[in-house]
PDB file of all heavy atoms in Angstrom:
ATOM      1  N   VAL A   1      95.718 105.865 101.748  1.00 96.00           N
ATOM      2  CA  VAL A   1      94.752 104.843 102.305  1.00 96.00           C
ATOM      3  C   VAL A   1      93.790 104.505 101.214  1.00 96.00           C
ATOM      4  O   VAL A   1      92.946 105.485 100.730  1.00 96.00           O
ATOM      5  CB  VAL A   1      93.976 105.474 103.510  1.00 96.00           C
ATOM      6  CG1 VAL A   1      92.978 104.481 104.048  1.00 96.00           C
ATOM      7  CG2 VAL A   1      95.031 105.857 104.667  1.00 96.00           C
ATOM      8  N   GLU A   2      93.695 103.289 100.782  1.00 97.00           N
ATOM      9  CA  GLU A   2      92.768 102.779  99.912  1.00 97.00           C
ATOM     10  C   GLU A   2      91.475 102.350 100.464  1.00 97.00           C
ATOM     11  O   GLU A   2      91.351 101.941 101.646  1.00 97.00           O
ATOM     12  CB  GLU A   2      93.331 101.620  99.071  1.00 97.00           C
ATOM     13  CG  GLU A   2      94.681 101.789  98.384  1.00 97.00           C
ATOM     14  CD  GLU A   2      95.798 101.314  99.252  1.00 97.00           C
ATOM     15  OE1 GLU A   2      95.643 101.301 100.496  1.00 97.00           O
ATOM     16  OE2 GLU A   2      96.888 101.007  98.634  1.00 97.00           O
ATOM     17  N   SER A   3      90.341 102.430  99.675  1.00 97.00           N
ATOM     18  CA  SER A   3      89.038 101.942 100.117  1.00 97.00           C
ATOM     19  C   SER A   3      88.244 101.506  98.891  1.00 97.00           C
ATOM     20  O   SER A   3      88.654 101.911  97.775  1.00 97.00           O
ATOM     21  CB  SER A   3      88.345 102.980 100.949  1.00 97.00           C
ATOM     22  OG  SER A   3      88.044 104.163 100.213  1.00 97.00           O
ATOM     23  N   GLY A   4      87.182 100.862  99.080  1.00 97.00           N
ATOM     24  CA  GLY A   4      86.292 100.498  97.947  1.00 97.00           C
ATOM     25  C   GLY A   4      86.426  99.060  97.446  1.00 97.00           C
ATOM     26  O   GLY A   4      85.601  98.630  96.680  1.00 97.00           O
ATOM     27  N   GLY A   5      87.351  98.242  97.993  1.00 98.00           N
ATOM     28  CA  GLY A   5      87.469  96.942  97.614  1.00 98.00           C
ATOM     29  C   GLY A   5      86.313  96.075  98.128  1.00 98.00           C
ATOM     30  O   GLY A   5      85.551  96.470  98.986  1.00 98.00           O
ATOM     31  N   GLY A   6      86.248  94.840  97.588  1.00 98.00           N
ATOM     32  CA  GLY A   6      85.131  93.926  98.092  1.00 98.00           C
ATOM     33  C   GLY A   6      84.939  92.745  97.162  1.00 98.00           C
ATOM     34  O   GLY A   6      85.767  92.497  96.326  1.00 98.00           O
ATOM     35  N   LEU A   7      83.847  92.038  97.331  1.00 98.00           N
ATOM     36  CA  LEU A   7      83.483  90.914  96.564  1.00 98.00           C
ATOM     37  C   LEU A   7      82.482  91.311  95.568  1.00 98.00           C
ATOM     38  O   LEU A   7      81.409  91.907  95.917  1.00 98.00           O
ATOM     39  CB  LEU A   7      82.922  89.768  97.448  1.00 98.00           C
ATOM     40  CG  LEU A   7      82.503  88.492  96.819  1.00 98.00           C
ATOM     41  CD1 LEU A   7      83.598  87.797  96.057  1.00 98.00           C
ATOM     42  CD2 LEU A   7      81.799  87.675  97.842  1.00 98.00           C
ATOM     43  N   VAL A   8      82.679  90.938  94.262  1.00 98.00           N
ATOM     44  CA  VAL A   8      81.747  91.289  93.255  1.00 98.00           C
ATOM     45  C   VAL A   8      81.693  90.079  92.165  1.00 98.00           C
ATOM     46  O   VAL A   8      82.637  89.361  92.059  1.00 98.00           O
ATOM     47  CB  VAL A   8      82.164  92.581  92.496  1.00 98.00           C
ATOM     48  CG1 VAL A   8      83.536  92.388  91.803  1.00 98.00           C
ATOM     49  CG2 VAL A   8      81.128  93.053  91.619  1.00 98.00           C
ATOM     50  N   GLN A   9      80.570  89.932  91.566  1.00 98.00           N
ATOM     51  CA  GLN A   9      80.352  88.933  90.580  1.00 98.00           C
ATOM     52  C   GLN A   9      81.061  89.381  89.252  1.00 98.00           C
ATOM     53  O   GLN A   9      81.162  90.578  88.989  1.00 98.00           O
ATOM     54  CB  GLN A   9      78.930  88.623  90.286  1.00 98.00           C
ATOM     55  CG  GLN A   9      78.183  87.916  91.398  1.00 98.00           C
ATOM     56  CD  GLN A   9      76.805  87.506  91.031  1.00 98.00           C
ATOM     57  OE1 GLN A   9      76.025  88.435  90.441  1.00 98.00           O
ATOM     58  NE2 GLN A   9      76.304  86.393  91.392  1.00 98.00           N
ATOM     59  N   ALA A  10      81.509  88.382  88.397  1.00 98.00           N
ATOM     60  CA  ALA A  10      82.050  88.663  87.181  1.00 98.00           C
ATOM     61  C   ALA A  10      81.052  89.444  86.410  1.00 98.00           C
ATOM     62  O   ALA A  10      79.914  89.247  86.381  1.00 98.00           O
ATOM     63  CB  ALA A  10      82.413  87.391  86.406  1.00 98.00           C
ATOM     64  N   GLY A  11      81.653  90.515  85.684  1.00 98.00           N
ATOM     65  CA  GLY A  11      80.822  91.441  84.894  1.00 98.00           C
ATOM     66  C   GLY A  11      80.395  92.649  85.710  1.00 98.00           C
ATOM     67  O   GLY A  11      79.915  93.665  85.110  1.00 98.00           O
ATOM     68  N   GLY A  12      80.569  92.631  86.917  1.00 98.00           N
ATOM     69  CA  GLY A  12      80.223  93.797  87.800  1.00 98.00           C
ATOM     70  C   GLY A  12      81.277  94.879  87.881  1.00 98.00           C
ATOM     71  O   GLY A  12      82.263  94.847  87.237  1.00 98.00           O
ATOM     72  N   SER A  13      80.989  95.865  88.685  1.00 98.00           N
ATOM     73  CA  SER A  13      81.919  97.013  88.816  1.00 98.00           C
ATOM     74  C   SER A  13      82.202  97.315  90.304  1.00 98.00           C
ATOM     75  O   SER A  13      81.514  97.063  91.161  1.00 98.00           O
ATOM     76  CB  SER A  13      81.204  98.184  88.237  1.00 98.00           C
ATOM     77  OG  SER A  13      80.914  98.123  86.909  1.00 98.00           O
ATOM     78  N   LEU A  14      83.397  97.925  90.508  1.00 98.00           N
ATOM     79  CA  LEU A  14      83.799  98.517  91.726  1.00 98.00           C
ATOM     80  C   LEU A  14      84.574  99.793  91.477  1.00 98.00           C
ATOM     81  O   LEU A  14      85.148  99.934  90.401  1.00 98.00           O
ATOM     82  CB  LEU A  14      84.772  97.555  92.567  1.00 98.00           C
ATOM     83  CG  LEU A  14      84.141  96.301  93.148  1.00 98.00           C
ATOM     84  CD1 LEU A  14      85.279  95.439  93.708  1.00 98.00           C
ATOM     85  CD2 LEU A  14      83.227  96.712  94.307  1.00 98.00           C
ATOM     86  N   ARG A  15      84.499 100.646  92.466  1.00 98.00           N
ATOM     87  CA  ARG A  15      85.234 101.926  92.372  1.00 98.00           C
ATOM     88  C   ARG A  15      86.142 102.014  93.595  1.00 98.00           C
ATOM     89  O   ARG A  15      85.657 102.135  94.774  1.00 98.00           O
ATOM     90  CB  ARG A  15      84.250 103.167  92.374  1.00 98.00           C
ATOM     91  CG  ARG A  15      84.941 104.541  92.245  1.00 98.00           C
ATOM     92  CD  ARG A  15      83.851 105.590  92.148  1.00 98.00           C
ATOM     93  NE  ARG A  15      84.331 106.989  92.074  1.00 98.00           N
ATOM     94  CZ  ARG A  15      84.338 107.744  93.121  1.00 98.00           C
ATOM     95  NH1 ARG A  15      83.907 107.225  94.335  1.00 98.00           N
ATOM     96  NH2 ARG A  15      84.814 109.043  93.053  1.00 98.00           N
ATOM     97  N   LEU A  16      87.431 102.072  93.423  1.00 98.00           N
ATOM     98  CA  LEU A  16      88.412 102.132  94.416  1.00 98.00           C
ATOM     99  C   LEU A  16      88.791 103.668  94.630  1.00 98.00           C
ATOM    100  O   LEU A  16      88.839 104.443  93.670  1.00 98.00           O
ATOM    101  CB  LEU A  16      89.681 101.320  94.119  1.00 98.00           C
ATOM    102  CG  LEU A  16      89.473  99.907  93.831  1.00 98.00           C
ATOM    103  CD1 LEU A  16      90.882  99.274  93.616  1.00 98.00           C
ATOM    104  CD2 LEU A  16      88.745  99.179  94.913  1.00 98.00           C
ATOM    105  N   SER A  17      89.027 104.079  95.863  1.00 98.00           N
ATOM    106  CA  SER A  17      89.483 105.366  96.203  1.00 98.00           C
ATOM    107  C   SER A  17      90.763 105.234  96.977  1.00 98.00           C
ATOM    108  O   SER A  17      91.089 104.307  97.677  1.00 98.00           O
ATOM    109  CB  SER A  17      88.495 106.147  96.982  1.00 98.00           C
ATOM    110  OG  SER A  17      87.250 106.285  96.304  1.00 98.00           O
ATOM    111  N   CYS A  18      91.572 106.281  96.814  1.00 98.00           N
ATOM    112  CA  CYS A  18      92.812 106.416  97.572  1.00 98.00           C
ATOM    113  C   CYS A  18      92.961 107.893  98.064  1.00 98.00           C
ATOM    114  O   CYS A  18      93.099 108.813  97.206  1.00 98.00           O
ATOM    115  CB  CYS A  18      94.058 105.984  96.637  1.00 98.00           C
ATOM    116  SG  CYS A  18      95.626 106.281  97.423  1.00 98.00           S
ATOM    117  N   ALA A  19      92.936 108.051  99.250  1.00 97.00           N
ATOM    118  CA  ALA A  19      93.042 109.392  99.970  1.00 97.00           C
ATOM    119  C   ALA A  19      94.455 109.508 100.350  1.00 97.00           C
ATOM    120  O   ALA A  19      95.109 108.698 101.055  1.00 97.00           O
ATOM    121  CB  ALA A  19      92.093 109.452 101.089  1.00 97.00           C
ATOM    122  N   ALA A  20      95.082 110.730  99.929  1.00 95.00           N
ATOM    123  CA  ALA A  20      96.442 111.102 100.266  1.00 95.00           C
ATOM    124  C   ALA A  20      96.564 112.198 101.219  1.00 95.00           C
ATOM    125  O   ALA A  20      95.819 113.218 101.154  1.00 95.00           O
ATOM    126  CB  ALA A  20      97.160 111.343  98.963  1.00 95.00           C
ATOM    127  N   THR A  21      97.581 112.132 102.047  1.00 94.00           N
ATOM    128  CA  THR A  21      97.895 113.328 102.965  1.00 94.00           C
ATOM    129  C   THR A  21      99.398 113.326 103.015  1.00 94.00           C
ATOM    130  O   THR A  21     100.177 112.380 102.680  1.00 94.00           O
ATOM    131  CB  THR A  21      97.377 113.021 104.382  1.00 94.00           C
ATOM    132  OG1 THR A  21      97.831 111.803 104.981  1.00 94.00           O
ATOM    133  CG2 THR A  21      95.812 112.898 104.365  1.00 94.00           C
ATOM    134  N   GLY A  22      99.825 114.546 103.517  1.00 87.00           N
ATOM    135  CA  GLY A  22     101.297 114.609 103.815  1.00 87.00           C
ATOM    136  C   GLY A  22     102.161 115.464 102.776  1.00 87.00           C
ATOM    137  O   GLY A  22     103.271 115.805 103.142  1.00 87.00           O
ATOM    138  N   ARG A  23     101.531 115.714 101.628  1.00 85.00           N
ATOM    139  CA  ARG A  23     102.269 116.530 100.647  1.00 85.00           C
ATOM    140  C   ARG A  23     101.272 117.212  99.769  1.00 85.00           C
ATOM    141  O   ARG A  23     100.070 116.923  99.790  1.00 85.00           O
ATOM    142  CB  ARG A  23     103.326 115.716  99.925  1.00 85.00           C
ATOM    143  CG  ARG A  23     102.801 114.699  98.999  1.00 85.00           C
ATOM    144  CD  ARG A  23     103.911 113.909  98.204  1.00 85.00           C
ATOM    145  NE  ARG A  23     103.401 112.908  97.354  1.00 85.00           N
ATOM    146  CZ  ARG A  23     104.102 112.283  96.494  1.00 85.00           C
ATOM    147  NH1 ARG A  23     105.429 112.436  96.469  1.00 85.00           N
ATOM    148  NH2 ARG A  23     103.589 111.376  95.745  1.00 85.00           N
ATOM    149  N   THR A  24     101.758 118.016  98.915  1.00 89.00           N
ATOM    150  CA  THR A  24     100.924 118.779  97.943  1.00 89.00           C
ATOM    151  C   THR A  24     100.519 117.726  96.838  1.00 89.00           C
ATOM    152  O   THR A  24     101.340 117.488  95.853  1.00 89.00           O
ATOM    153  CB  THR A  24     101.683 119.949  97.293  1.00 89.00           C
ATOM    154  OG1 THR A  24     102.025 120.842  98.286  1.00 89.00           O
ATOM    155  CG2 THR A  24     100.677 120.649  96.349  1.00 89.00           C
ATOM    156  N   PHE A  25      99.386 117.185  96.963  1.00 92.00           N
ATOM    157  CA  PHE A  25      98.886 116.100  96.088  1.00 92.00           C
ATOM    158  C   PHE A  25      98.973 116.442  94.591  1.00 92.00           C
ATOM    159  O   PHE A  25      99.394 115.565  93.822  1.00 92.00           O
ATOM    160  CB  PHE A  25      97.496 115.697  96.543  1.00 92.00           C
ATOM    161  CG  PHE A  25      96.892 114.622  95.721  1.00 92.00           C
ATOM    162  CD1 PHE A  25      97.210 113.271  95.943  1.00 92.00           C
ATOM    163  CD2 PHE A  25      95.912 114.870  94.754  1.00 92.00           C
ATOM    164  CE1 PHE A  25      96.635 112.261  95.255  1.00 92.00           C
ATOM    165  CE2 PHE A  25      95.366 113.819  93.918  1.00 92.00           C
ATOM    166  CZ  PHE A  25      95.674 112.553  94.266  1.00 92.00           C
TER     167      PHE A  25
END
């Protein structure tokens, strides 16, 4: 499951996360 996306101006920053379940990560 990803999260952290969105709208940002050029030159800006975003941090995406991906949470995993179901196996030994």
Side-chain angles (χ1 to χ4, degrees):
V1 180
E2 304 97 333
S3 62
L7 175 64
V8 65
Q9 290 184 317
S13 298
L14 284 173
R15 180 175 177 265
L16 306 184
S17 298
C18 173
T21 60
R23 67 178 181 175
T24 304
F25 179 78

